[in-house]
Amino acid sequence: ILAPFIGGLVHGFERIVRARMQRRIGPPLLQPFYDFLKLAGKRKMIVHSAHAFLGIMHFISLWFALALLLLGGDLILVIFLHLLSTSLMILAGYSTRSIFSHLGANRTAISILAYEPVLIIIAVSFYLVTGSFQTSAVYNYDKPLLLEMPLAFIALLLILPIKLKKSPFDVAEAHQEITGGTEIEFSGIFYEAIYTAKWLDYVFCYTLVYLFAGNNILLGAALILFTFLFINALDNSSARVNYKQMLKFSLTVAFSLAFINLVINILI
């Protein structure tokens, strides 16, 4: 229930960190919530009812995926619901006549090809180590999975910027080029669903990072902090690549690392 609020705080803190990296003062911590309230007062403009419905369902399905992940559900089902959520945004992008929305939908689909196979391989590795796809078994594992799945953790670090749409893999939104991608045709309270879904994505991705700590809470917090700083340092120091380079990097580097880790877990 608190996930959107926590995600909003993470987003606010991220904006402060980004501003400091760029030698700016930056917005206050609660700025995302001020933006949320401002959007509520904006004029509601709907392309068509199906477009608005798909945007809202994107948020709801992502919330369900996050709930299943946090409450100890099946990791494969979590990844499926996460894929469903992203697919709804792709359909929303295709449902309009905007060329920018179509480009964003195309690139979001390519992004799925870049990170979903890696997530599946990591989930199978969790099963081989813990003997279960249930995230509750991962949370209760008696030693850090980072020690048994180091390459899988590195692979996750490499694909998270794709999922969070951070440089150098901000190809789905690409504000300098297609000005937001699939979300460009949303406005007012309907854009709030997309805006808040981004906060849920923060919690979702950092929860995946936490899984590598097992039942070690301090290690989990340290891994989340390290990942947060790594993603923001990368985002503020790298230029955006094109979608071909993103896909090639993910399938040759991140996927290979996750697959090697999987083979090692099978042999052990």
Side-chain angles (χ1 to χ4, degrees), residues 13 17 45 58 61 72 87 104 122 129 156 167 169 197 203 226:
F13 185 63
V17 172
M45 297 183 66
H58 163 68
S61 57
S87 299
I122 292 174
V129 175
L156 181 63
S167 291
F169 303 125
V203 182
F226 170 77

Side-chain angles (χ1 to χ4, degrees), residues 94-140:
Y94 285 139
S95 70
T96 72
R97 296 182 179 181
S98 169
I99 184 64
F100 300 112
S101 187
H102 286 196
L103 283 173
N106 288 338
R107 294 184 182 184
T108 301
I110 293 172
S111 297
I112 289 176
L113 293 177
Y115 64 75
E116 285 291 339
V118 180
L119 290 180
I120 293 293
I121 293 294
I122 292 174
V124 174
S125 295
F126 277 127
Y127 172 79
L128 291 173
V129 175
T130 64
S132 174
F133 278 116
Q134 301 296 315
T135 55
S136 57
V138 180
Y139 293 135
N140 296 319

